[in-house]
Amino acid sequence: MSSLDTSPAKPGLRERKKQQTREAIARAALRLFAERGYDETTLAEIAEAADVAPRTIFAYFDSKEDILFSEEGGYLDELKRRLDERPDGSTTVDALREFVACMKSPDEDDKLRKKVIMASPGLQMKMRAHHAELEPMLAQSIARDLGTGPDDIRALLVAASMTAAFESVSNQFFEAESGGEPVTHEQSMAIIDEVLEFLRGGLEAIQRD
């Protein structure tokens, strides 16, 4: 996914130092994963590259996988907040469009992370597992739009379509397909917006039935 701009309040000195340490560990890990391979890189090597004690890593991350996919949890938490806190009259599509509007073009760390993941079938499976967490979250929100329970097959199908659209566009941004050029950030956001508008029409049709 792209970087997310949530414009949080400025943290205090202690929080800033902790965030700087967390970012230093993540950056060092990404560089080593790219240079040596994910499986070949040890936590001790990451600690040395980040100039921290090995035990310090566990104050911020549970494992190498947690380091690599640390951004995913933040995206899901922010989207869940937007879905849960959306006012009456605002739909899942509205919340998603606001979420997408806050997504910035991927930076070098985002691109490097994607490169590491795409080099490993095992990591690709783990990425899909992280993306799968999005689907039930969306289904619950869509069921709220429809005034039904989260097990409503219509909500589940629409949520699956939304999840597939996000994953497809995300992959297309980073990879050239059939020898072509990857889509730009602006193009990918426009594609997602078109898909969401299409799904909005379907949801409105269901609600009228």
Side-chain angles (χ1 to χ4, degrees), residues 73-115:
Y75 299 136
L76 291 172
D77 289 345
E78 174 61 17
L79 179 55
K80 187 176 189 308
R81 183 190 69 78
R82 289 175 181 270
L83 292 172
D84 289 347
E85 297 179 4
R86 60 190 172 92
D88 292 339
S90 176
T91 67
T92 301
V93 171
D94 294 329
L96 277 172
R97 292 186 73 177
E98 290 178 2
F99 178 77
V100 168
C102 290
M103 296 175 69
K104 299 182 295 185
S105 181
D107 59 19
E108 290 307 311
D109 284 347
D110 294 322
K111 294 176 182 178
L112 191 57
R113 183 178 299 106
K114 189 70 173 185
K115 179 180 178 181

Side-chain angles (χ1 to χ4, degrees), residues 11-193:
L13 178 60
R14 179 180 176 83
E15 287 72 22
R16 292 201 301 274
K17 287 185 175 180
K18 290 176 64 175
Q19 183 62 26
Q20 288 168 358
T21 300
R22 179 182 175 86
E23 291 173 354
I25 293 170
R27 283 195 301 270
L30 276 177
R31 301 300 182 273
L32 290 175
F33 293 157
E35 293 170 4
R36 305 181 184 182
Y38 174 83
D39 291 329
E40 290 74 20
T41 301
T42 68
L43 287 172
E45 290 170 337
I46 294 171
E48 181 178 1
D51 196 25
V52 299
R55 65 177 180 275
T56 300
I57 291 180
F58 293 103
Y60 297 90
F61 303 99
D62 294 330
S63 62
K64 288 196 301 181
E65 181 179 333
D66 189 28
I67 297 174
L68 184 61
F69 293 104
S70 59
E71 296 296 320
E72 296 299 315
Y75 299 136
L76 291 172
D77 289 345
E78 174 61 17
L79 179 55
K80 187 176 189 308
R81 183 190 69 78
R82 289 175 181 270
L83 292 172
D84 289 347
E85 297 179 4
R86 60 190 172 92
D88 292 339
S90 176
T91 67
T92 301
V93 171
D94 294 329
L96 277 172
R97 292 186 73 177
E98 290 178 2
F99 178 77
V100 168
C102 290
M103 296 175 69
K104 299 182 295 185
S105 181
D107 59 19
E108 290 307 311
D109 284 347
D110 294 322
K111 294 176 182 178
L112 191 57
R113 183 178 299 106
K114 189 70 173 185
K115 179 180 178 181
V116 170
I117 293 170
M118 297 307 294
S120 166
L123 292 176
Q124 291 179 46
M125 291 182 63
K126 292 180 185 298
M127 172 61 85
R128 285 193 288 271
H130 281 278
H131 286 171
E133 297 177 28
L134 175 63
E135 196 167 314
M137 186 190 307
L138 291 173
Q140 184 176 15
S141 182
I142 294 165
R144 175 182 162 188
D145 293 333
L146 300 177
T148 64
D151 293 332
D152 187 319
I153 187 63
R154 299 170 300 175
L156 294 172
L157 289 173
V158 175
S161 298
M162 288 181 173
T163 302
F166 272 92
E167 184 168 5
S168 177
V169 172
S170 175
N171 289 338
Q172 192 175 12
F173 179 87
F174 288 97
E175 296 182 311
E177 295 185 355
S178 302
E181 292 295 326
V183 297
T184 65
H185 176 70
E186 291 73 20
Q187 289 172 325
S188 66
M189 294 299 99
I191 291 169
I192 289 177
D193 195 57

